[in-house]
Amino acid sequence: MKQLLVFSLFIASAAGLGAQVHLEPLSRTDSAAIYCERVPDSLNTEAVKYSKQLYSLLLKGADPEKDFCFIMQPSFQGERALLLRPGEKFGRLTVRTMTENLWVANHNGHKARVIESEQSIEQVLSDAIQHAFTEALTHVADKPHDKGFDGTVYLLLMPGDSGRWTTGTIWSPVEDSPTFNLTQRLTELLDMPLDGDTSTMQRELNALRFDEDE
């Protein structure tokens, strides 16, 4: 009976995600964790400590005035990050992957490492990635949804005002929604190196729209 209740709650939660087309604002504690800001002792939970440690590893050296960042946090697999540094002729992609899920590693007393790879990309692909970030983060909707018991949390960051990123997050977006398609394309970019023709990905990224009425 307990298993049925948990399953029913999960289905109810997933059903409530039907409107999850837009990214949502980051929580106060997640934002503080990204910028390594102090949070009140009452909010400094194990989850916040985990976030601080994770973002310090995945965003090391990232510049809020220059870099576009995509962070992927699966429930049990190693967390990953994609960093784009635009340039005048080429963009530079940096991919970072935890060798083990950091939360699980900390719980088991392990030391997870970061594997990093880097690649230059053509300007047209760099521009398409920037367009997709801008389109999604321009339509962040302050309509928080309940998160389920499993899944993947995605964070997007792009250069904003006053030396801080413009940010948004979503948990396991609904299939075939614009946000789902965006996270799928960005996840593909995590699997470097990029070989062959990337024109299809460029078109898909450029076609993404997050209209207010969706």
Side-chain angles (χ1 to χ4, degrees):
M1 186 65 175
K2 183 178 179 181
Q3 290 179 330
L4 179 59
L5 176 60
V6 170
F7 181 73
S8 299
L9 287 171
F10 179 80
I11 293 299
S13 176
L17 293 173
Q20 262 192 315
V21 174
H22 302 280
L23 298 172
E24 301 167 3
L26 263 64
S27 68
R28 174 187 175 191
T29 51
D30 272 345
S31 182
I34 284 175
Y35 292 104
C36 297
E37 298 170 342
R38 187 180 181 279
V39 298
D41 291 340
S42 60
L43 298 177
N44 197 24
T45 62
E46 289 302 314
V48 174
K49 293 175 183 177
Y50 151 78
S51 295
K52 284 183 178 179
Q53 183 185 6
L54 179 67
Y55 300 150
S56 67
L57 292 169
L58 294 182
L59 295 175
K60 184 179 180 179
D63 189 339
E65 296 185 350
K66 297 179 181 179
D67 296 326
F68 294 73
C69 307
F70 170 64
I71 299 175
M72 178 180 177
Q73 296 176 226
S75 295
F76 302 106
Q77 298 175 315
E79 300 90 342
R80 309 182 76 185
L82 176 76
L83 285 67
L84 169 65
R85 173 71 61 88
E88 293 183 2
K89 295 183 178 180
F90 297 94
R92 188 182 77 219
L93 283 183
T94 301
V95 170
R96 292 175 179 157
T97 302
M98 303 299 300
T99 55
E100 185 179 358
N101 182 275
L102 184 61
W103 182 277
V104 175
N106 289 343
H107 179 74
N108 292 329
H110 299 168
K111 184 173 179 60
R113 296 181 300 105
V114 179
I115 298 175
E116 180 174 310
S117 57
E118 192 173 283
Q119 180 176 346
S120 293
I121 59 172
E122 295 182 357
Q123 190 65 46
V124 286
L125 180 55
S126 176
D127 289 345
I129 296 170
Q130 293 175 68
H131 160 79
F133 270 76
T134 302
E135 180 68 18
L137 288 168
T138 300
H139 295 94
V140 171
D142 195 4
K143 299 176 181 178
H145 293 78
D146 293 333
K147 291 181 173 60
F149 301 102
D150 193 2
T152 302
V153 174
Y154 301 97
L155 279 69
L156 273 77
L157 303 83
M158 75 175 187
D161 298 325
S162 304
R164 296 178 73 88
W165 275 295
T166 297
T167 62
T169 184
I170 196 166
W171 170 80
S172 295
V174 175
E175 192 169 345
D176 292 331
S177 68
T179 312
F180 175 84
N181 293 331
L182 171 60
T183 57
Q184 290 295 106
R185 299 294 80 74
L186 294 177
T187 300
E188 289 175 18
L189 287 169
L190 287 166
D191 297 322
M192 295 205 303
L194 299 175
D195 296 320
D197 185 9
T198 60
S199 59
T200 299
M201 179 177 288
Q202 293 165 27
R203 287 195 299 271
E204 290 175 348
L205 289 169
N206 279 320
L208 287 171
R209 295 290 183 273
F210 296 77
D211 297 325
E212 295 286 358
D213 57 353
E214 287 185 327

